[in-house]
Amino acid sequence: MEETTSTSNKAAMEPAKEQAKASTEPTKAEPRRAYGTAKTENLQDSGLWRILLPGFVLICCALLFAIPLGILVPLFLQSIDSTSPTGPHALNLLWLWISMAVVEILVAIIVIQGFRKIFFTQAGNYRR
């Protein structure tokens, strides 16, 4: 009785094995193509980009503060100066230069925090 049971189990298992084997093998109708030459390329990283990219971003962040403030500070100082050629009319614009400087600093802080999260935290994750 055991022999007939084991024989029927073997017969039932063979089509399942063939089906599993057929599903894992690539079909003969599809041609196999290799894209790229990863086996021949030197994928070693020198690590120089980990210094240059954050350095470039740091310089751009400093310029993000310096350029607008370099324009707004002389305008602010000119509006305070009573001997300026614009006269007393420039004093009315004092609030404008102060509010523009505050808005510029807030926007720059938000942008710099985003760049810090993107460029300064990820570069340290790839150390060897």
Side-chain angles (χ1 to χ4, degrees), residues 52-107:
L52 293 179
L53 184 62
F56 177 74
V57 171
L58 189 66
I59 290 170
C60 289
C61 289
L63 290 175
L64 192 63
F65 274 117
I67 292 173
L69 288 178
I71 295 169
L72 290 173
V73 167
L75 290 171
F76 175 74
L77 293 176
Q78 185 180 9
S79 68
I80 292 176
D81 188 15
S82 61
T83 61
S84 69
T86 57
H89 302 292
L91 194 58
N92 296 335
L93 296 176
L94 186 62
W95 66 271
L96 178 66
W97 308 136
I98 293 172
S99 62
M100 285 179 66
V102 168
V103 167
E104 185 273 329
I105 289 172
L106 291 176
V107 168

